Amino acid sequence: MLEDKNTQNTSLAELGEFGLINHITKYFKVEKASTIKAIGDDAAVLDASEKQTLVTTDLLIEGVHFDLSYMPLKHLGYKAVMVNLSDVYAMNGAAEQITVSIAVSNRFPLEAIEELYAGIQLACETYNIDLIGGDTTSSTKGILISVTAIGKAEKEDVVYRDGAKETDLIVVSGDLEREKQVFKVDPNNQPDLDNYTYLIERQLKPEARKDISGLLKELEIQPTSMIDISDGLSSELFHICTQSKVGCKVYEDKLPLDPQVISACEEFELDSTMVALSGGEDYELLFTVPIANFDQIKGNPNFSIIGHITAENQGLQLVTRANQDIPLKAQGWNAMNDH
Ligand code: ADP
Ligand code: MG
């Protein structure tokens, strides 16, 4: 059902590198005031404002980061942009431009690259981002895609990973989708997908949380630390705690899980807490705020308070529903086998 349905095949060799670049970039419009020159010269030109500039890159390789038999190219293009926008949003910044570099083997026809760029374009339009350049080359095998995102933030608004302080509250946006973990159980025996539309949508077309920065501003909250959840909650808590030199306590019964995740976990006999802690790639944001912000966060449907920051020597602890403290591990938690 997820296969590329293109029947036409135009060879890339026929088109040549410049023909390909022209073809795939001609439908992109430039919208941002800060984009002075986009595609077409030796370098793009951006207007450097008084704000600070945020730059982030990801490289995705077929067979390592994605598998085209599970993911349509359009979704891959969309997701490759999301990964990077999410990193800009996790600094509390506004993403403005991207560059996209691809290496493609001749196994791909033009129509496949068009699909990839349709996903990139949809992401650019939805998130109001300019595509300002990139590079195009051939590969001997498979497809590689590298996206760089450029964003801006006021100096005082930038949020790093190292600012969490003892007693700060630990907050996550949205709920924790762990569908990938669920489907890892048996990739050869795909479940009836109709029950999982939301999960599949979240996995194939994840949305970066562009809105969180504004929501926090409205609430007059400046997080002390922030990170996006691309490798799983546990792993991200480790980054924040290590860099901030603190410990943490998170509560099993506070982890926000979507009902579809819970029922999928039941069906596949997975522990939903383990799944919540160790899954990844949903691009929700994890952040810490001073305890004085409790009233602004509490009861806000966009946020869940899942625990608090402790002293470094307390380590990272999960408090179970049975009120037991269990040390968190970077991948899930160590009691998962006897749970
Ligand atoms: P150069 O040889 O100077 O690096 P290229 O011929 O590679 O220039 O690229 C021409 C223009 O097209 C440049 O503006 C470049 O940034 C842009 N470009 C090249 N490949 C891509 C791509 N895959 N996606 C978006 N823009 C691209
Ligand atoms: Mg080039």
Side-chain angles (χ1 to χ4, degrees):
M1 79 179 264
L2 303 175
E3 305 247 303
D4 192 358
K5 296 203 181 67
N6 280 315
T7 46
Q8 252 188 304
N9 282 327
T10 310
S11 93
L12 291 181
E14 239 171 77
L15 210 68
E17 184 189 331
F18 299 122
L20 174 63
I21 295 171
N22 278 339
H23 186 86
I24 57 185
T25 57
K26 68 181 169 196
Y27 299 110
F28 285 79
K29 289 194 201 81
V30 171
E31 309 272 2
K32 290 283 173 193
S34 57
T35 308
I36 307 300
K37 175 77 188 176
I39 291 162
D41 214 309
D42 297 313
V45 179
L46 304 180
D47 191 10
S49 67
E50 258 105 80
K51 294 185 180 181
Q52 293 195 327
T53 305
L54 312 169
V55 182
T56 176
T57 293
D58 266 285
L59 173 61
L60 303 176
I61 296 176
E62 184 180 357
V64 179
H65 303 102
F66 59 90
D67 179 342
L68 290 178
S69 52
Y70 291 99
M71 174 166 282
L73 279 157
K74 186 172 175 183
H75 288 75
L76 174 64
Y78 194 88
K79 193 162 178 167
V81 178
M82 280 317 117
V83 182
N84 286 277
L85 300 190
S86 179
D87 282 326
V88 174
Y89 302 144
M91 300 301 290
N92 205 26
E96 304 212 320
Q97 289 92 8
I98 55 163
T99 64
V100 175
S101 296
I102 54 170
V104 198
S105 81
N106 55 15
R107 144 185 156 224
F108 292 88
L110 172 65
E111 288 72 17
I113 311 304
E114 281 175 345
E115 278 293 296
L116 180 74
Y117 270 76
I120 292 170
Q121 189 167 12
L122 180 62
C124 284
E125 284 168 5
T126 310
Y127 285 77
N128 192 18
I129 304 293
D130 289 345
L131 173 70
I132 57 157
D135 200 21
T136 307
T137 184
S138 55
S139 82
T140 48
K141 195 165 161 276
I143 183 166
L144 277 82
I145 173 165
S146 177
V147 176
T148 296
I150 299 153
K152 274 184 188 162
E154 297 285 355
K155 183 171 186 233
E156 61 273 18
D157 288 345
V158 180
V159 180
Y160 297 89
R161 293 179 178 184
D162 65 358
K165 300 275 178 315
E166 220 178 311
T167 77
D168 280 356
L169 302 172
I170 304 170
V171 185
V172 290
S173 64
D175 44 44
L176 300 164
E177 304 318 318
R178 298 299 173 239
E179 58 277 31
K180 185 175 162 202
Q181 207 65 22
V182 171
F183 287 117
K184 256 187 204 156
V185 174
D186 188 356
N188 298 317
N189 181 12
Q190 291 261 298
D192 175 5
L193 299 179
D194 288 350
N195 295 328
Y196 306 98
T197 46
Y198 175 71
L199 301 186
I200 291 165
E201 179 90 341
R202 285 293 298 262
Q203 177 64 28
L204 284 180
K205 196 164 164 289
E207 301 291 352
R209 296 303 304 258
K210 183 185 184 179
D211 55 331
I212 297 297
S213 169
L215 284 170
L216 289 170
K217 263 241 138 85
E218 265 170 42
L219 296 168
E220 296 180 5
I221 293 174
Q222 171 74 5
T224 49
S225 70
M226 186 150 64
I227 190 167
D228 67 326
I229 308 179
S230 54
D231 292 328
L233 185 59
S234 260
S235 154
E236 314 308 353
L237 281 167
F238 260 85
H239 288 308
I240 285 199
C241 288
T242 308
Q243 295 199 28
S244 302
K245 300 191 173 59
V246 292
C248 72
K249 247 184 193 192
V250 296
Y251 294 82
E252 185 177 17
D253 61 353
K254 306 272 190 238
L255 297 175
L257 279 167
D258 181 85
Q260 273 199 13
V261 175
I262 294 169
S263 64
C265 286
E266 277 165 9
E267 189 172 340
F268 295 106
E269 293 182 9
L270 285 172
D271 182 301
S272 58
T273 301
M274 188 276 284
V275 166
L277 290 168
S278 60
E281 297 199 345
D282 61 4
Y283 311 118
E284 293 296 343
L285 297 178
L286 169 70
F287 56 95
T288 54
V289 299
I291 195 162
N293 292 137
F294 178 76
D295 285 338
Q296 292 116 288
I297 294 274
K298 174 196 65 170
N300 187 315
N302 295 291
F303 303 120
S304 302
I305 300 172
I306 61 165
H308 58 268
I309 296 294
T310 58
E312 188 173 21
N313 64 12
Q314 305 285 294
L316 285 74
Q317 305 285 337
L318 176 77
V319 182
T320 67
R321 287 194 185 88
N323 208 25
Q324 269 187 308
D325 282 15
I326 293 173
L328 269 180
K329 290 218 163 143
Q331 291 295 320
W333 40 295
N334 69 355
M336 69 187 202
N337 293 328
D338 33 281
H339 193 77

